[in-house]
Amino acid sequence: MTAEHAAPLQQNAAPQTAPPQDVRVGVIGVGRMGADHVERITRRIKGVRVSVLSDYLRETAEKVSATAAGSRVVDTWQEVVAAEDVDAVLIASPGEFHREQVLACIEAGKPVLCEKPLAMNPSDAYDVVRAEAEAGAPLVSLGFMRRFDVGYGELKDALEAGELGTPMLLNCKHRNASVLPGFTDTHMVYDSAVHEIDAISFFLEEPVVSVQTVMPRSTEKAPEGLHDPLLFLFRTASGTVVTDELWVSTDAGYEVRTELVGSKGAATVGQESGMVTTQQAGSRWGGQVPLDFRPRFIAAYDAEVQAWVAAVADGSNIAPRSATAWDGYAAAAVCEAAERSLTAEGAVDVTLQERPA
Amino acid sequence: MTAEHAAPLQQNAAPQTAPPQDVRVGVIGVGRMGADHVERITRRIKGVRVSVLSDYLRETAEKVSATAAGSRVVDTWQEVVAAEDVDAVLIASPGEFHREQVLACIEAGKPVLCEKPLAMNPSDAYDVVRAEAEAGAPLVSLGFMRRFDVGYGELKDALEAGELGTPMLLNCKHRNASVLPGFTDTHMVYDSAVHEIDAISFFLEEPVVSVQTVMPRSTEKAPEGLHDPLLFLFRTASGTVVTDELWVSTDAGYEVRTELVGSKGAATVGQESGMVTTQQAGSRWGGQVPLDFRPRFIAAYDAEVQAWVAAVADGSNIAPRSATAWDGYAAAAVCEAAERSLTAEGAVDVTLQERPA
Amino acid sequence: MTAEHAAPLQQNAAPQTAPPQDVRVGVIGVGRMGADHVERITRRIKGVRVSVLSDYLRETAEKVSATAAGSRVVDTWQEVVAAEDVDAVLIASPGEFHREQVLACIEAGKPVLCEKPLAMNPSDAYDVVRAEAEAGAPLVSLGFMRRFDVGYGELKDALEAGELGTPMLLNCKHRNASVLPGFTDTHMVYDSAVHEIDAISFFLEEPVVSVQTVMPRSTEKAPEGLHDPLLFLFRTASGTVVTDELWVSTDAGYEVRTELVGSKGAATVGQESGMVTTQQAGSRWGGQVPLDFRPRFIAAYDAEVQAWVAAVADGSNIAPRSATAWDGYAAAAVCEAAERSLTAEGAVDVTLQERPA
Amino acid sequence: MTAEHAAPLQQNAAPQTAPPQDVRVGVIGVGRMGADHVERITRRIKGVRVSVLSDYLRETAEKVSATAAGSRVVDTWQEVVAAEDVDAVLIASPGEFHREQVLACIEAGKPVLCEKPLAMNPSDAYDVVRAEAEAGAPLVSLGFMRRFDVGYGELKDALEAGELGTPMLLNCKHRNASVLPGFTDTHMVYDSAVHEIDAISFFLEEPVVSVQTVMPRSTEKAPEGLHDPLLFLFRTASGTVVTDELWVSTDAGYEVRTELVGSKGAATVGQESGMVTTQQAGSRWGGQVPLDFRPRFIAAYDAEVQAWVAAVADGSNIAPRSATAWDGYAAAAVCEAAERSLTAEGAVDVTLQERPA
């Protein structure tokens, strides 16, 4: 850039309006996910900058702050929420702190985008739902980023346009190359299945009423304590059945596929795509399976945060199609039931509290 | 957003660095394409804002300026280039002004992103190449946005990694649903084929040495004066052959497909993808063909401008893989030969001036 | 053909061996399916001809016989089995007669290819298994033609070669455009699911130990008394889980898809294929969904009968990979349990008699 | 099969008609291709048997005859044509003998299926066309088996139904894993391109009027004397352009793809299909490329011979959609021009003799 960039301007004609102020975001927790968000906000998301951030590890916070010009580090998450130069808060701390941190944001009247989960159990999550309802303003967005994936959006559009008729079945597949040691069936519920559990809210817009676990025999590669693959069967209030196949030690890569079977037609997103090659080695045609979720969902994260920033800037605070506190509560309730179903015979019922007006 | 947003801040701790200043872009020409760029810069591209803009139609300029807070309108493009609050210039005016405007930017030492074409003929384009070389700094980026398409990037990566061996054939297909009345063979060269002509520079990194037009019989839907479809055959210096099939009145939609045939394998990008449905009507499986280029290339435009802004901000001025003035000159030279080939027997040679160091 | 064809031959040199005699097949039941088999045997299957046939409706039998030169009609199926010019029997009569007719063939020592089902209940089917075992010779083939589909064969090959590792999940989808009025959940079991039930035997080579029905809400197009779609969950002895989605009023066409999820990889057959078009109408790319099973499985029927004829001719009587009486018995047992599962809570156990040596 | 099979029959009721006599085929030349045909006729094709065969190598003939019960060996191809127990002739000898052998069949009034080429040059091929016209009866079928491929048939159907409008472009790709040493550009014309040259006759039903060779730089794997890949451009009488890309040392496998671009839509056959797997190795999804033409076209060979046998049996002698002597002559004329185009500048004209009524 040329040298005069930093020089003070002497504008020969006043613009009609002042340039818009960036939304100033405070970030709580800048481990891998939080640091990703800081990088996203700093480099790719329009109309926003990170003003304040905190982390359990001060050193981590300093390091991340150094990559986000104009940001400063504070000692506690409470200071992030309270800071005058924080218009909205992004929470990427460990899940056990989410309830308390989101409640503080609500109390401060600041919009918040909280990474999943909303809370560690349905009761805690419901506290957030109630608090937001009492605050009387939409404030809480939840980080289910798949809602902002182009493919998910196409399927949602087709459903809303009535092109697929009545949803009858939703078939989901979720595959990972591998998981860390210590990953158990419970992680399968809360880390993996939770995404499809939110997909049910997103696509079908009605509560899950029961869940059943079906356990095939496991791959030899499954870590101790993990049944892999697993199959969950969900049933919604109107009787749509959702199959969710989870397989997290494929060694192949990251694959997420969703088929909606409606009375007027079936539609699938997440099929193999991208560059197709024919190669000598093995005489195969085909494409690459991405090693992790980034190639598949990185644009969805960007779109999610950009949509949130736009919503904060225009005062609506929650982007259209974004997951809300209620979705987070519903997901927590279904996860809790799914966890019980791991060791139950047959289907386990899911019951939800009343939804506040 | 909450009410305190506009209030003056009293920061309890100074950030380590000042928030980065946005790159201030002056936009010349805000017809459809320029207005798109203003909207892009204003809503989606990070680290940049439109500060000044101009248009042949003052009223258009005023209307577009009103959508870009902080921008102001000036009467002439010369004022855009000269403005102190313009760090870099984006040119989206009609092609016949590009040479003069880009030269002015070079003279002012301001980075410029110019929509194609760089100039109306090879000689004019070469003037720009020379002027930039004499200025001694990289300043000129050319708006061949396909270079920033994910699929194009994957193919480029595979080539650079040597996975496909020596390029032997490049097969391109370019299809549009329809064109405006008055679209002729010449437009086919300068508006459509020009994109594949730049793809040759991008993928093969060597000059085209000859071009031949092959005219099949035309569709009944072809407007007067247009041979549709058309086939161009290009040959590069090392002997790679490029077939470029253009068909612009398909009635179906927008399709761009590229296959690279290398000595170690073939790779195709731009195949059908997206949501796949099975529908009763006609008992067909498949997906939608987009009506225009937007669904296919809108992300490439965004990525292009974001990359340009990053390059301007870091002083390199031209993004990696971006088209340069030389690419623009080469494209002009090949287009001019392609135009002559429309009425020639056999292949027409392309000769290029020397490339300045 | 030239006129001398029918003339007596005066061979100037005796061939080394006599031309092989055609296997003479007796066909019991020449309704739609049986007539198809007569046409197949008469026009496409090598080394075989229909010598005798019978049908409940004498007139139908006469009409079909007229299309199969060299065949004659007899009054009863017993005469077909007994005829000296019948080397092997093909049964395409209604299912309630199969047990008795197959038993008669066993008693006559004649190889038989019986359309599914082998019998109307597991007990009757087991009678056949025992009778064949006592006869001491392989005689009974069952008409599960999918085993002879190229795609099924590829998947079987991959499994046998160990390329997919341990089978963990088998996901089946079975869709029809529509069914006749009066088609009920019970038909869903015995006419549709039965094919996937045999696929379990074919691919996994182990018994099903339980079955559970999952009923999503139905399409508005489902006839009275039919839950459509339906989902069956099967579990095999070693713990492989099979999901079988059946949807028989799609209005779209015939689709059968099978995915095997093994510990070393997943493989799918039956995906969309064939000619791909891009058409103006609706701006869609894609292909045709066949209206019924013919385009998908007609070659499998041919291959099945050809393989059976070859087995009869070489004395092995049952083709490799063909379904046997035991497979028919197992299918009957699983169908009977699946039928009970339609109205049961949770999984219904399947128990099998001992398999005769 | 049971012991009584060979026993004389005492039929208790005469069939209405005698079983049909098999067409007795004489085979000239039983090298690899001829032996394949003998095996096909003997095991898979209905209504036909090999009665007489000959080969340049008596020993080869004896060996092949031993696999075809009822066949005998004669010393010369003349004896095959003349044999009273030969109703029709299949020629699979080297191409230089075809003209003479087909002429002899015409003279004997016997239907003949001749492997390509019909003759070694256009003039010789035209002799056959004229002789057949003078004989006044359809007798000659030519072995372009792709016409009997399911995909080719679908595309032909779509064209005949008018679904694709006016054909404007036909894009063909033909790839082999490798070729034998000594394979030259001339073989590229006569062994590889000849198939697409016949495809032009099949799909477009009009003569080629010119051909141009385009030579990209070659793969390092190309044998001495071979330009690989090669591109031929054909133009038909009405102005349809055909691009034919040939690449015969891919190391990957056998691929044949055909796209018809018509004024109402484009259609492609021969795309990748079959079982799709996701495998750990390399984290790739996709399918297998067949090593040679067999998996792709074996069914077309069977269908071709079955259709020919049916035509011989019903006296029409040439199957619908089969290549005729005229197609063979046209192919020879185009090949000859294509060979000349290998060393010519620009397009080489093709001229055809008049077609006899």
Side-chain angles (χ1 to χ4, degrees), chain C residues 325-346:
Chain C
W326 177 261
D327 293 312
Y329 161 64
V334 177
C335 281
E336 189 263 358
E339 188 181 8
R340 278 188 287 127
S341 83
L342 289 169
T343 52
E345 283 283 314

Side-chain angles (χ1 to χ4, degrees), chain A residues 63-243:
Chain A
K63 212 182 297 180
V64 173
S65 176
T67 68
S71 70
R72 63 192 166 88
V73 174
V74 293
D75 286 329
T76 65
W77 65 260
Q78 287 87 348
E79 290 171 76
V80 174
V81 176
E84 286 192 24
D85 56 340
V86 164
D87 305 311
V89 178
L90 194 157
I91 298 174
S93 59
E96 48 266 48
F97 302 110
H98 288 183
R99 174 186 170 279
E100 194 181 359
Q101 292 166 346
V102 174
L103 287 175
C105 292
I106 293 172
E107 195 167 357
K110 296 194 178 180
V112 56
L113 173 59
C114 181
E115 275 304 315
K116 71 174 175 70
L118 181 59
M120 299 308 280
N121 58 61
S123 160
D124 280 5
Y126 194 66
D127 290 348
V128 177
V129 169
R130 212 165 31 201
E132 187 190 29
E134 282 162 11
L139 288 170
V140 183
S141 300
L142 203 62
F144 282 117
M145 81 296 178
R146 287 193 194 172
R147 291 166 174 249
F148 295 90
D149 173 55
V150 171
Y152 266 52
E154 287 178 353
L155 182 45
K156 180 76 174 170
D157 290 343
L159 273 168
E160 286 186 352
E163 292 167 17
L164 304 173
T166 309
M168 302 183 302
L169 281 164
L170 182 67
N171 297 316
C172 304
K173 287 177 191 288
H174 178 127
R175 295 176 182 170
N176 291 92
S178 61
V179 287
L180 295 175
F183 194 94
T184 65
D185 290 356
T186 302
H187 292 95
M188 198 76 118
V189 171
Y190 287 96
D191 286 6
S192 301
V194 67
H195 281 290
E196 277 85 24
I197 288 169
D198 184 63
I200 301 173
S201 293
F202 181 59
F203 290 122
L204 305 180
E205 296 186 349
E206 60 172 353
V208 168
V209 296
S210 74
V211 50
Q212 178 186 355
T213 302
V214 178
M215 285 185 185
R217 69 168 150 175
S218 288
T219 169
E220 310 85 35
K221 288 173 267 182
E224 185 75 27
L226 180 66
H227 291 87
D228 187 34
L230 267 189
L231 190 67
F232 289 108
L233 293 179
F234 303 99
R235 176 181 293 275
T236 68
S238 72
T240 304
V241 166
V242 181
T243 64

Side-chain angles (χ1 to χ4, degrees), chain C residues 1-2 5 9 12-13 16-17 24 41 43 45-46 48 69-70 72 87 109 264 266 268 276 278 280 312 315, chain D residues 1-2 5 9 12-13 17 24 41 43 45-46 48 62 69-70 72 87 109 264 266 268 276-278 280 312 315:
Chain C
M1 194 147 56
T2 53
H5 180 229
L9 298 180
N12 50 354
Q16 295 161 318
T17 59
R24 297 161 304 177
I41 288 171
R43 300 201 190 288
I45 307 302
K46 182 73 178 181
V48 61
R72 63 191 167 88
D87 305 311
K264 288 193 186 163
T268 303
V276 173
T278 307
Q280 298 98 321
V312 171
Chain D
M1 195 145 57
T2 53
H5 180 230
L9 298 180
N12 49 354
T17 59
R24 296 161 304 176
I41 288 172
R43 299 199 192 288
I45 308 302
K46 183 72 179 183
V48 61
E62 298 285 359
R72 64 194 166 87
D87 304 311
K264 288 194 186 161
T268 303
V276 173
T277 59
T278 307
Q280 299 98 323
V312 170

Side-chain angles (χ1 to χ4, degrees), chain C:
Chain C
M1 194 147 56
T2 53
E4 56 268 28
H5 180 229
L9 298 180
Q10 270 199 284
Q11 298 178 334
N12 50 354
Q16 295 161 318
T17 59
Q21 297 286 341
D22 280 344
V23 171
R24 297 161 304 177
V25 165
V27 179
I28 299 174
V30 289
R32 177 169 161 167
M33 176 63 81
D36 270 4
H37 278 309
V38 170
E39 199 254 347
R40 171 172 294 117
I41 288 171
T42 303
R43 300 201 190 288
R44 296 196 300 273
I45 307 302
K46 182 73 178 181
V48 61
R49 64 182 177 86
V50 176
S51 53
V52 183
L53 56 80
S54 73
D55 195 85
Y56 180 72
L57 298 167
R58 176 83 194 195
E59 196 185 329
T60 300
E62 298 285 359
K63 212 182 297 181
V64 171
S65 176
T67 68
S71 71
R72 63 191 167 88
V73 173
V74 293
D75 286 328
T76 65
W77 65 259
Q78 287 86 350
E79 290 171 76
V80 174
V81 175
E84 285 193 27
D85 56 340
V86 163
D87 305 311
V89 178
L90 194 158
I91 298 175
S93 59
E96 49 265 47
F97 303 111
H98 288 183
R99 173 187 171 278
E100 194 181 359
Q101 292 166 347
V102 174
L103 287 175
C105 291
I106 293 171
E107 194 167 1
K110 296 195 177 178
V112 57
L113 173 59
C114 181
E115 275 304 315
K116 71 172 176 72
L118 181 59
M120 299 308 279
N121 57 61
S123 160
D124 280 6
Y126 194 66
D127 288 349
V128 177
V129 169
R130 212 166 31 203
E132 187 190 29
E134 281 161 12
L139 288 171
V140 182
S141 300
L142 202 62
F144 283 116
M145 83 294 177
R146 287 193 194 172
R147 291 166 173 250
F148 296 90
D149 173 57
V150 171
Y152 266 53
E154 287 178 352
L155 182 45
K156 181 78 174 169
D157 290 344
L159 272 169
E160 287 185 353
E163 292 167 16
L164 303 174
T166 310
M168 304 183 301
L169 281 164
L170 182 65
N171 297 315
C172 305
K173 288 176 191 289
H174 178 128
R175 295 176 182 170
N176 291 92
S178 60
V179 287
L180 295 174
F183 194 95
T184 65
D185 290 355
T186 302
H187 293 95
M188 197 76 118
V189 171
Y190 286 97
D191 286 8
S192 301
V194 67
H195 281 290
E196 277 85 24
I197 288 169
D198 184 63
I200 301 172
S201 292
F202 180 59
F203 289 123
L204 305 180
E205 296 185 352
E206 60 172 351
V208 168
V209 296
S210 74
V211 50
Q212 178 186 354
T213 302
V214 179
M215 285 186 185
R217 69 169 151 175
S218 287
T219 169
E220 310 85 35
K221 289 174 264 182
E224 186 75 28
L226 180 66
H227 291 85
D228 187 33
L230 266 188
L231 191 67
F232 289 108
L233 293 179
F234 302 99
R235 176 181 293 275
T236 68
S238 73
T240 304
V241 166
V242 182
T243 64
D244 186 16
E245 178 194 319
L246 300 138
W247 180 22
V248 297
S249 51
T250 66
D251 276 4
Y254 186 81
E255 297 174 272
V256 168
R257 221 165 297 154
T258 308
E259 183 188 34
L260 191 295
V261 179
S263 59
K264 288 193 186 163
T268 303
V269 296
Q271 293 282 62
E272 298 80 0
S273 65
M275 184 170 68
V276 173
T277 60
T278 307
Q279 296 180 321
Q280 298 98 321
S283 289
R284 303 247 316 153
W285 63 266
Q288 213 64 30
V289 181
L291 285 181
D292 65 18
F293 67 94
R294 281 152 199 272
R296 173 69 199 281
F297 282 124
I298 201 74
Y301 277 107
D302 285 8
E304 175 195 58
V305 176
Q306 187 71 74
W308 177 60
V309 167
V312 171
D314 75 13
S316 63
N317 286 346
I318 301 179
R321 292 195 174 172
S322 172
T324 63
W326 177 261
D327 293 312
Y329 161 64
V334 177
C335 281
E336 189 263 358
E339 188 181 8
R340 278 188 287 127
S341 83
L342 289 169
T343 52
E345 283 283 314
V348 167
D349 285 345
V350 181
T351 47
L352 294 180
Q353 306 270 5
E354 208 177 335
R355 183 167 190 168

